[in-house]
Amino acid sequence: MFPELNNLLNTTPDQAEQGKLTLLCDAKTDGSFLVHHFLSFYLKANCKVCFVALIQSFSHYNIVGQKLGVSLTTARERGQLVFLEGLKSAVDVFFRPQEDPHPLQFLREANSGNLQPLYEFVQEALKPMDSGEAAWRCPVLLVDDLSVLLSLGVGAVAVLDFVHYCRATVCRERKGNVVALVHDSGDAEDEENDILLNGLGHQSHLILRAEGLATGFCKDVHGQPKGSS
C-alpha cells in the first residue's frame, strides 16, 4: 500500500537530498504525523535543527519524539535542536521591554507583516559552527505550521517572503533543508490561504499532501499517493 510514499518515508539519512524545500499540506485531516517524522528523521541523521513550533508545546513534541526513538530534551541540551515554542513565546513577547528583540515581535506591532525578527532568529540558530563546537551534518528548518501566521494577522505575501529568505539562507547558502506544514482550509473565499498555498507550491521541490477521505474514516485504505516534486 502506497509504495512510493513508503519509500520516501523510509529514506535513510545518507540518501536524503540537501538544499530542498519540502511542503507538507493537510486538508480535512491532521498532517502532523509528517512533521513528527521529519523531526525525528533529521535528529537521528545528526542534523542541526531549528524547529519553529507554532501549534503545540515542547512537551507534546518530546513525548511523540520518544515514541519515535529520539529525545528532544537531549537534543536541545547538546545544542542540536533550537526550539521556538510559539505558544509560550506568544505570551512572553508582551512582557518584554519594547527594545528587546523577539522572534514573534510582530504580535505587538501595529503592522503585523514584519517577520524579519523571526528570520533573524532562524539565521542565528543555524549559523555555521565555530571550530570548537560539535559538528552536525546539514542545517534544517522545520515549521509547524505556517497557516498560524495567517491567523495571527500576517499577510500571505509576508509569509512567502519569510520562506523565500529562509530558503536562500538555509538551502542555497548553507546547503540545508526546509520543511514546512501548511493547512488547506478548502475555503474558496480564503484568498490569503490560496495565495500562500500556490506560492509555496511554486517554491517547493517536494509536496506531500495528506487529505481526509470524502466518505469518512476507513480501517483499510487503498489508492495512490498525490505527491508531486
Side-chain angles (χ1 to χ4, degrees):
M1 184 173 64
F2 302 136
E4 296 88 350
L5 183 57
N6 286 334
N7 290 338
L8 174 66
L9 297 182
N10 290 326
T11 300
T12 64
D14 291 336
Q15 295 172 325
E17 294 184 275
Q18 297 180 5
K20 304 296 184 182
L21 167 61
T22 299
L23 175 63
L24 313 177
C25 180
D26 61 12
K28 299 179 181 178
T29 190
D30 182 8
S32 62
F33 70 95
L34 291 170
V35 174
H36 295 299
H37 163 76
F38 281 102
L39 177 59
S40 62
F41 173 83
Y42 284 118
L43 290 178
K44 290 178 181 178
N46 208 34
C47 296
K48 178 66 177 286
V49 179
C50 175
F51 189 10
V52 179
L54 303 174
I55 291 292
Q56 300 286 355
S57 65
F58 177 84
S59 60
H60 169 81
Y61 293 105
N62 191 41
I63 290 172
V64 178
Q66 289 176 343
K67 295 180 180 179
L68 297 175
V70 296
S71 171
L72 272 62
T73 300
T74 301
R76 185 167 64 173
E77 289 175 349
R78 66 177 184 165
Q80 182 187 10
L81 173 66
V82 179
F83 189 93
L84 176 62
E85 189 168 354
L87 294 176
K88 181 179 179 181
S89 298
V91 177
D92 292 344
V93 67
F94 293 102
F95 295 95
R96 299 168 69 101
Q98 187 71 27
E99 61 274 9
D100 287 356
H102 192 282
L104 303 183
Q105 184 76 21
F106 67 89
L107 288 174
R108 61 180 182 185
E109 294 179 349
N111 179 13
S112 60
N114 182 17
L115 294 179
Q116 183 176 347
L118 183 57
Y119 164 72
E120 292 174 349
F121 171 83
V122 172
Q123 187 180 40
E124 177 67 19
L126 298 178
K127 68 180 180 180
M129 297 167 295
D130 296 331
S131 57
E133 296 180 315
W136 308 112
R137 289 189 70 225
C138 67
V140 175
L141 169 63
L142 183 61
V143 185
D144 182 19
D145 72 44
L146 289 171
S147 300
V148 173
L149 296 175
L150 295 182
S151 65
L152 293 174
V154 181
V157 174
V159 178
L160 289 172
D161 286 343
F162 166 72
V163 175
H164 171 76
Y165 281 106
C166 287
R167 279 186 60 212
T169 299
V170 179
C171 298
R172 298 174 188 170
E173 179 184 333
R174 301 177 185 174
K175 307 303 179 184
N177 294 317
V178 176
V179 180
L181 175 69
V182 64
H183 179 68
D184 183 357
S185 65
D187 185 355
E189 298 182 357
D190 192 347
E191 296 182 3
E192 289 292 289
N193 188 254
D194 287 343
I195 293 173
L196 180 60
L197 281 172
N198 291 333
L200 290 174
H202 288 298
Q203 292 189 44
S204 301
H205 298 88
L206 174 68
I207 302 174
L208 293 178
R209 181 179 176 88
E211 187 169 351
L213 296 172
T215 55
F217 295 100
C218 180
K219 180 180 179 181
D220 298 313
V221 182
H222 300 276
Q224 295 297 323
K226 295 173 61 178
S228 60
S229 60

